[in-house]
Amino acid sequence: MIIPRRVCQIRPRRVILSGIQPTGIPHLGNYLGALSNWVKLQKSAEPEDKLLFSIVGWHALTLPQDPAALLTARNDMLAVLLAIGIDPNRSILFHQDHLRRMTTWKSRLAAARNSASEDEVDESLLNAGLFMYPVLQAADVLVYKATHVPVGDDQQQHIELTRDLADIFNRTFKGTSPLFPLPNYVNTPSKRILSLKDPTSKMSKSSPDVQSRILLTDTATQIQSKIRAAVTDSIQGITYDPKDRPGTSNLLTILAACTDSDVTQVAKTYESQGHGDLETRSAYLDETARRGAARAIEHSEETMGLAPPIRGDMSDSGKPPVH
Ligand code: AMP
Ligand code: TRP
């Protein structure tokens, strides 16, 4: 007898949520550590699963930002997320700071500030206390009752805090069933991609050395030269040894992630070869991935052009943002 799949299914509905700061074009670490997993989860989700992906402008405000540059970066991030395959018809793709326009939020703020009406709220009073980074992130997750949070290694602590907060809340305010599910941290095998220039630290958007990261919008030549100039070591042959050979192992991790293979298998293939072979091959793969993204960006820009302009948010120019 054939049992319909939906009847057999016992897995509860998942709410998959993640976010990324609009602080520049995402790099390979963002992609391999988190964004590629967003797309994978979108593809493998059951129809009843919910997916939410947020561009977290408020989290970016923990560092000083140029408002005009931030506005451009928010739009660029949206275009990149569409380009890598986030489907806005399937996943809820949104700007975290758009929620600021919600009346409920405004009225809460008005109450907190003892203002007479929502229109009188002075938003310059919003401060770090209100937007405290990890708490704000926990709020992002809990407000959607997310069950799965696909992020890179550096975010694990925040998800643990979120679980603790959810647990404390559930135990303090006991109802018939716990209000918040405890969200699961979902990672990838390449959850921590290292800097190409300093393989003791992670690849990061904020490093002053632009050679330390590969951006999703880099050209083939740029990617090739960055990979060729990556810091490795002078040990003969290729082995995967993250502790003693972090630079070489980082290139192997990148190559394995780009080819969806196991890193120890990849290392075996290159065992008797030199660093030059490894660097040429991963540059080729990176270029293949980049070309796909660049072509998709052309299409996504068309879609972006159709979107109505957003008024007001995060712009101090008085003009609506350009899409
Ligand atoms: P951010 O750019 O800080 O907003 O990070 C966006 C996502 O990319 C988060 O899930 C991070 O954990 C992930 N991420 C950032 N840098 C790296 C890296 N070097 N390796 C792996 N994942 C990363
Ligand atoms: N703090 C995360 C980062 O820097 C971004 C983020 C904000 C996030 N809110 C979130 C990630 C909610 C997952 C879920 O990468």
Side-chain angles (χ1 to χ4, degrees):
M1 187 178 91
I2 298 168
I3 304 168
R5 188 152 159 262
R6 292 181 69 84
V7 176
C8 311
Q9 191 185 315
I10 39 158
R11 184 164 68 59
R13 185 179 98 135
R14 293 188 298 175
V15 179
I16 298 158
L17 174 134
S18 197
I20 185 162
Q21 300 182 56
T23 41
I25 301 290
H27 51 67
L28 204 60
N30 297 130
Y31 184 71
L32 299 179
L35 304 180
S36 60
N37 217 12
W38 297 10
V39 179
K40 257 190 203 152
L41 288 163
Q42 180 184 260
K43 280 195 188 128
S44 63
E46 297 292 340
E48 61 274 18
D49 291 337
K50 200 189 240 185
L51 298 110
L52 301 110
F53 298 115
S54 175
I55 298 168
V56 292
W58 282 333
H59 279 100
L61 298 184
T62 44
L63 288 174
Q65 300 285 347
D66 167 355
L70 184 56
L71 195 59
T72 309
R74 290 165 81 253
N75 286 332
D76 286 351
M77 184 59 78
L78 190 56
V80 168
L81 293 181
L82 294 172
I84 62 163
I86 299 297
D87 173 1
N89 295 319
R90 176 62 185 97
S91 298
I92 302 173
L93 182 57
F94 65 107
H95 285 291
Q96 179 192 43
D97 45 84
H98 272 183
L99 303 185
R100 187 161 80 173
R101 290 201 245 159
M102 284 168 45
T103 1
T104 42
W105 196 88
K106 282 193 176 173
S107 59
R108 289 271 167 78
L109 190 65
R113 303 290 181 214
N114 282 328
S115 312
S117 81
E118 285 156 34
D119 293 331
E120 277 174 35
V121 174
D122 177 2
E123 298 206 343
S124 68
L125 291 172
L126 298 183
N127 53 31
L130 196 53
F131 290 144
M132 248 183 358
Y133 195 105
V135 177
L136 172 59
Q137 182 162 351
D140 280 340
V141 173
L142 296 180
V143 77
Y144 302 105
K145 296 191 182 180
T147 57
H148 294 76
V149 186
V151 279
D153 178 67
D154 58 346
Q155 298 300 313
Q156 186 171 4
Q157 235 187 359
H158 292 157
I159 308 309
E160 275 162 16
L161 172 76
T162 306
R163 288 173 68 90
D164 286 347
L165 291 175
D167 187 44
I168 292 168
F169 190 98
N170 290 344
R171 281 188 286 116
T172 312
F173 302 98
K174 280 202 189 85
T176 41
S177 61
L179 182 67
F180 295 121
L182 302 193
N184 296 293
Y185 158 69
V186 185
N187 64 20
T188 67
S190 45
K191 58 183 190 271
R192 187 174 164 83
I193 297 293
L194 303 174
S195 156
L196 298 178
K197 285 301 186 189
D198 170 16
T200 58
S201 61
K202 66 166 189 164
M203 187 179 282
S204 126
K205 287 188 209 135
S206 56
S207 160
D209 187 350
V210 294
Q211 299 299 320
S212 70
R213 57 182 167 267
I214 292 172
L215 302 183
L216 295 191
T217 49
D218 276 350
T219 63
T221 321
Q222 284 169 321
I223 295 172
Q224 253 161 14
S225 84
K226 285 180 186 178
I227 296 263
R228 283 219 185 92
V231 170
T232 50
D233 52 53
S234 51
I235 303 168
Q236 283 280 303
I238 305 289
T239 48
Y240 181 69
D241 179 353
K243 194 167 153 282
D244 293 326
R245 306 188 69 186
T248 303
S249 304
N250 191 39
L251 291 183
L252 285 169
T253 305
I254 291 173
L255 185 53
C258 289
T259 50
D260 227 348
S261 340
D262 179 69
V263 73
T264 48
Q265 287 302 320
V266 172
K268 259 200 151 15
T269 324
Y270 283 89
E271 213 164 33
S272 58
Q273 300 186 41
H275 284 109
D277 298 303
L278 183 60
E279 286 160 10
T280 313
R281 178 117 171 85
S282 44
Y284 167 73
L285 289 167
D286 292 340
E287 164 53 11
T288 311
R290 191 206 60 79
R291 208 168 337 112
R295 280 177 54 206
I297 271 184
E298 283 172 25
H299 292 278
S300 68
E301 274 175 351
E302 247 175 63
T303 314
M304 293 297 295
L306 297 174
I310 314 163
R311 261 184 290 124
D313 283 312
M314 303 195 72
S315 162
D316 67 356
S317 67
K319 288 185 204 141
V322 182
H323 280 271

